Amino acid sequence: MNKWEENIRKVVPYVPGEQPQESGVIKLNTNENPYPPSPKVYEAHRKIEIDCYALYPDPAASELVTALEQYYGLEHGQVFVGVGSDDVLALSFLTFFNSDKPILFPDVTYSFYPVWADVYRIPYECPELDENFRIKPEDYRRENGGIVIANPNAPTSIGMKRSEVEEIISSNPDVIVIVDEAYVDFGGETVLPLLKKYENLLVVRTYSKSRSMAGARIGFAMGNKRLIQALTDVKESINSYTMTMESIRIGAASLEDEDYFQRNLRKIVETRESAKKELEKRGFAVLPSQTNFLFAAHQKAEGQYLFEELRQRKIFVRHFNGERIGNYLRITVGTDEQMKRLFEALDEILGE
Amino acid sequence: MNKWEENIRKVVPYVPGEQPQESGVIKLNTNENPYPPSPKVYEAHRKIEIDCYALYPDPAASELVTALEQYYGLEHGQVFVGVGSDDVLALSFLTFFNSDKPILFPDVTYSFYPVWADVYRIPYECPELDENFRIKPEDYRRENGGIVIANPNAPTSIGMKRSEVEEIISSNPDVIVIVDEAYVDFGGETVLPLLKKYENLLVVRTYSKSRSMAGARIGFAMGNKRLIQALTDVKESINSYTMTMESIRIGAASLEDEDYFQRNLRKIVETRESAKKELEKRGFAVLPSQTNFLFAAHQKAEGQYLFEELRQRKIFVRHFNGERIGNYLRITVGTDEQMKRLFEALDEILGE
């Protein structure tokens, strides 16, 4: 080993879901939205002129920030935007979790949380979900350096009631509680109304799921002004200009088409509920989903086997190793046509 | 103070140059390119269809990475891309500077370096430039945890010879030497040919200056595969998808129009040289620039005064506080027309 290698930061990186480049693939593995964003987004894209590229974007991303503040009825200074919610969350770990005490998040949750903790050398502990894959609020009463809850949780798809999340927030007034609401638009109960009541609450959202804009990399955090200022200060210590000029504009445009947004959400929820029934018919146990994906285990066929058989048929779903979840598939809710193709493939694999 | 505030990371953020939103402004304060990017960039923008936004971008940004590898004649695995060179540089600090020994960079250089060192708790020391604002390679022979050299340097605009930078690289085989070549396309001497010779060299570049694409947020690093893999691993531990789908595509398209690129560079260099003469005529001492900006101090009028007078006339240049550089203005090379307006304003201010 060269001497310079000694000082390279040791990490075990997150492994993202595959982004297959082949054609004819049915992609149900990274919880993207099967429908395009609003035509207003495309209109904003088309209006961009070539001269705009030479200038730095507004470092405050004011157009997007203001649009989000208005959309959610918040005051100026309560919204922070970043390059996807992963950027916002990672930055929040770096900004808020500087204690020697361990931060807490569930043993089964978004697998980036332990990765961020590792990269920033933050100690952590992981209370176990109960036997129904539910978060137990009472587990979050121990001493800690901060808390992260995905609600609804991933990959379980299960949501908590606002009152349950509030129990966690209110019993931890001395640390920051981050509630990652990446999937909340699909039927979860948001804690946004609690922002008025708790200074230690940070709510994080993304454009990648409900707003059909994973390709534009937009995430945001909402909280009291002190928290948003702290995030901004740390962000300004790393990169002043993180959002592209295009993402700022199209992100704001997306908020102008509420009808389209709501229709899109309704359609996905309908497909999710019918897909759940179809999976159950075929012998799957499916957790109750408040997201745009289903977490399902077959009573006979193993998760890894189904994952590989589907993959051979060019249907990509997600499979995680792990004692409790190794038998489950995480299946993104696609279009009705895509789900039909999934069921046909499952029928073939399961021999029905 | 609330208890949760104790764990907020303390930082002194970088202050970016103003991005004035008013119209009629002549913006010579953030070293942007006064010309738009190649029409091929705009063509790639227009070809993007709305359906592309719903999917995550390729996390490896392969289209852009491959195009850069081909353009620079490198092997696959030698290029890393990020959200502007600030993103790439900050990530490099986090990845490579994990020693207890101080990293070294000049006392007068890109003011983000001490900010990144602070945010990641990296000790640093700053050897002084000589009386002509030149880096002294012999200052970089002491024990250290890594080195960062901007070449050409900013805000001085002065470049070092390749042989001088090589002296620094070769005398520090045990640490990573980062050479920040943000401005090298405007006439600096690149150390790219040294990549074959030194494993500890990382060269960082940006699309924000020479490629007229600050708004698209594209930066990249070139180095041996072990360094690029280390950067990739740390990046994958923070955010798998940092480059937007659009930036990947238009970044690759920019490399397809070498003629346009070279014409753009030549034009800026011509304007720079004539502007230097015009400034000297008006009593400025101007450092010899190998960049797209000029660093100039007037023999009588103070830097702060000129900055403010120009600002009142809607001409934005950059002024830094600091003992050695407080009397200087950093003036971005704009179009000939913009420079003419600058000289007219200076004549008015200086009373000629």
Side-chain angles (χ1 to χ4, degrees):
Chain A
M1 190 162 95
N2 292 296
K3 199 119 195 300
W4 49 259
E5 290 196 52
E6 286 170 19
N7 292 330
I8 292 181
R9 187 161 282 248
K10 273 98 201 153
V11 293
V12 181
Y14 174 80
V15 179
E18 291 173 273
Q19 298 293 344
Q21 301 297 315
E22 16 167 3
S23 62
V25 158
I26 296 188
K27 197 167 174 313
L28 305 174
N29 69 333
T30 54
N31 297 345
E32 288 142 332
N33 200 305
Y35 305 108
S38 155
K40 294 220 188 245
V41 167
Y42 202 56
E43 209 177 292
H45 163 83
R46 277 191 290 102
K47 274 191 191 157
I48 292 171
E49 286 168 17
I50 190 162
D51 292 3
C52 305
Y53 285 99
L55 298 181
Y56 281 100
D58 171 14
S62 304
E63 183 182 350
L64 177 57
V65 163
T66 306
L68 283 164
E69 284 163 349
Q70 284 173 356
Y71 185 86
Y72 288 105
L74 299 169
E75 286 175 33
H76 185 57
Q78 289 203 277
V79 168
F80 173 86
V81 297
V83 180
S85 59
D86 287 345
D87 179 41
V88 175
L89 286 163
L91 208 62
S92 300
F93 274 53
L94 181 66
T95 304
F96 300 119
F97 297 157
N98 293 284
S99 162
D100 292 333
K101 294 172 195 159
I103 62 166
L104 306 178
F105 48 82
D107 64 336
V108 177
T109 190
Y110 187 31
S111 43
F112 239 128
Y113 300 158
V115 176
W116 290 321
D118 281 337
V119 75
Y120 295 131
R121 313 281 184 255
I122 302 163
Y124 63 94
E125 286 174 8
C126 300
E128 281 181 23
L129 299 185
D130 74 11
E131 66 283 7
N132 299 313
F133 289 103
R134 289 186 179 275
I135 292 168
K136 292 175 284 176
E138 63 271 25
D139 285 350
Y140 296 83
R141 284 173 181 275
R142 61 173 106 161
E143 211 181 26
N144 66 73
I147 290 172
V148 191
I149 298 289
N151 187 42
N153 198 11
T156 64
S157 80
I158 295 175
M160 287 172 97
K161 284 187 189 151
R162 183 182 301 148
S163 57
E164 293 175 295
V165 188
E166 180 165 9
E167 203 182 314
I168 294 175
I169 302 165
S170 66
S171 56
N172 288 282
D174 293 343
V175 299
I176 303 302
V177 178
I178 297 175
V179 182
D180 177 355
E181 295 191 338
Y183 297 103
V184 80
D185 289 326
F186 299 105
E189 226 180 312
T190 179
V191 291
L192 263 189
L194 302 183
L195 281 183
K196 290 202 179 101
K197 212 167 153 188
Y198 300 99
E199 284 193 332
N200 62 324
L201 168 62
L202 190 79
V203 181
V204 177
R205 299 270 187 106
T206 177
Y207 272 56
S208 299
K209 316 295 180 184
S210 56
R211 291 208 172 266
S212 309
M213 288 171 74
R217 315 307 303 122
I218 306 173
F220 56 105
M222 298 175 278
N224 84 65
K225 293 176 192 183
R226 176 74 188 90
L227 296 191
I228 298 304
Q229 187 59 52
L231 271 177
T232 304
D233 287 347
V234 174
K235 178 253 190 186
E236 293 283 349
S237 303
I238 294 172
N239 193 350
S240 308
Y241 311 100
T242 59
M243 304 278 304
T244 71
M245 171 267 298
E246 153 138 332
S247 291
I248 292 171
R249 296 199 190 174
I250 66 180
S254 165
L255 301 172
E256 289 167 14
D257 199 348
E258 188 64 14
D259 276 359
Y260 182 94
F261 181 59
Q262 294 297 340
R263 275 202 310 278
N264 183 330
L265 295 179
R266 272 199 301 276
K267 184 66 202 132
I268 289 169
V269 169
E270 277 168 28
T271 305
R272 176 184 79 203
E273 294 308 313
S274 65
K276 182 167 187 282
K277 285 184 197 132
E278 291 294 329
L279 286 169
E280 286 166 344
K281 259 196 241 168
R282 286 162 177 84
F284 281 89
V286 187
L287 300 190
S289 171
Q290 291 185 295
T291 65
N292 70 332
F293 60 89
L294 294 162
F295 203 51
H298 196 263
Q299 56 195 9
K300 290 180 194 144
E302 282 185 4
Q304 179 72 33
Y305 167 77
L306 289 174
F307 169 77
E308 280 164 15
E309 288 290 320
L310 286 169
R311 199 173 184 288
Q312 277 181 25
R313 287 164 179 83
K314 287 195 176 186
I315 299 176
F316 285 71
V317 298
R318 196 87 200 263
H319 175 258
F320 299 90
N321 293 316
E323 207 182 316
R324 297 186 70 185
I325 60 174
N327 219 23
Y328 280 78
L329 297 178
R330 194 195 68 184
I331 305 166
T332 305
V333 177
T335 62
D336 288 327
E337 175 58 28
Q338 288 175 323
M339 299 318 271
K340 200 175 143 228
R341 294 268 305 279
L342 168 74
F343 302 132
E344 286 165 3
L346 284 173
D347 288 342
E348 201 180 290
I349 296 163
L350 298 165
E352 284 175 22
Chain B
M1 190 163 93
N2 291 296
K3 200 120 196 300
W4 50 259
E5 291 197 51
E6 286 170 20
N7 292 329
I8 291 181
R9 186 161 284 246
K10 272 98 202 152
V11 293
V12 181
Y14 173 81
V15 180
E18 291 174 273
Q19 299 293 342
Q21 302 297 316
E22 19 169 359
S23 61
V25 158
I26 297 188
K27 198 171 173 311
L28 306 174
N29 68 333
T30 55
N31 296 345
E32 289 143 331
N33 200 304
Y35 305 108
S38 156
K40 293 221 189 247
V41 167
Y42 203 57
E43 208 177 294
H45 162 84
R46 277 192 289 102
K47 273 190 190 157
I48 292 171
E49 287 170 15
I50 191 162
D51 291 4
C52 305
Y53 285 99
L55 297 181
Y56 281 100
D58 171 13
S62 304
E63 183 182 350
L64 177 58
V65 164
T66 306
L68 284 165
E69 285 163 348
Q70 284 173 358
Y71 184 85
Y72 288 105
L74 299 169
E75 287 175 33
H76 186 57
Q78 288 202 276
V79 169
F80 174 85
V81 296
V83 180
S85 59
D86 286 346
D87 179 42
V88 175
L89 286 163
L91 208 61
S92 300
F93 274 51
L94 182 66
T95 304
F96 300 119
F97 297 156
N98 293 284
S99 162
D100 292 334
K101 295 173 195 158
I103 63 167
L104 305 178
F105 48 81
D107 64 337
V108 177
T109 189
Y110 187 31
S111 43
F112 240 127
Y113 301 158
V115 177
W116 290 321
D118 281 337
V119 74
Y120 295 132
R121 312 280 185 256
I122 301 164
Y124 62 94
E125 286 175 8
C126 300
E128 280 180 24
L129 299 184
D130 73 12
E131 66 283 8
N132 299 314
F133 289 104
R134 289 185 181 275
I135 292 169
K136 292 175 283 177
E138 62 271 26
D139 285 349
Y140 297 82
R141 285 173 182 274
R142 61 174 106 161
E143 213 182 25
N144 66 74
I147 290 172
V148 192
I149 298 289
N151 187 42
N153 197 11
T156 65
S157 80
I158 296 175
M160 288 172 96
K161 285 190 189 149
R162 183 183 300 147
S163 57
E164 293 176 295
V165 188
E166 181 166 9
E167 203 183 315
I168 295 175
I169 302 165
S170 66
S171 56
N172 288 283
D174 292 343
V175 299
I176 302 303
V177 178
I178 297 175
V179 182
D180 177 355
E181 296 192 338
Y183 297 102
V184 80
D185 289 326
F186 299 104
E189 225 181 315
T190 179
V191 291
L192 262 190
L194 301 182
L195 280 184
K196 289 201 178 100
K197 211 167 153 187
Y198 300 99
E199 282 192 335
N200 61 324
L201 168 62
L202 190 79
V203 181
V204 177
R205 300 269 187 106
T206 177
Y207 272 55
S208 299
K209 315 295 180 185
S210 57
R211 293 208 170 267
S212 309
M213 289 170 73
R217 314 307 304 121
I218 306 175
F220 55 105
M222 297 175 278
N224 85 65
K225 294 178 191 181
R226 177 74 187 87
L227 296 191
I228 298 304
Q229 187 60 52
L231 272 176
T232 304
D233 287 348
V234 173
K235 178 252 190 187
E236 293 283 350
S237 302
I238 295 171
N239 192 350
S240 309
Y241 312 99
T242 58
M243 305 279 302
T244 70
M245 171 268 296
E246 155 140 329
S247 291
I248 292 172
R249 295 197 192 176
I250 66 179
S254 165
L255 301 171
E256 289 166 14
D257 200 348
E258 188 63 15
D259 276 359
Y260 182 94
F261 181 58
Q262 294 298 339
R263 274 203 310 277
N264 183 331
L265 295 179
R266 272 198 302 276
K267 185 66 201 132
I268 290 169
V269 170
E270 277 167 28
T271 305
R272 178 184 76 203
E273 294 310 311
S274 66
K276 183 168 184 282
K277 285 183 197 131
E278 292 294 328
L279 287 168
E280 285 166 344
K281 260 197 244 170
R282 286 164 177 82
F284 281 91
V286 187
L287 299 190
S289 171
Q290 292 186 292
T291 65
N292 70 333
F293 60 89
L294 293 163
F295 202 51
H298 196 265
Q299 55 195 10
K300 291 181 196 145
E302 281 186 5
Q304 180 73 33
Y305 168 75
L306 291 174
F307 168 78
E308 279 163 17
E309 287 291 319
L310 287 169
R311 198 172 185 286
Q312 278 181 25
R313 289 163 178 82
K314 287 196 178 187
I315 299 176
F316 285 71
V317 299
R318 196 87 200 262
H319 175 257
F320 298 91
N321 293 316
E323 206 182 317
R324 298 187 68 185
I325 60 174
N327 219 22
Y328 281 79
L329 297 179
R330 195 194 68 183
I331 305 166
T332 304
V333 177
T335 62
D336 288 326
E337 175 57 29
Q338 289 175 323
M339 301 318 272
K340 200 175 145 230
R341 293 270 304 278
L342 169 73
F343 303 132
E344 286 165 4
L346 285 172
D347 288 341
E348 200 178 293
I349 297 163
L350 298 166
E352 286 175 21

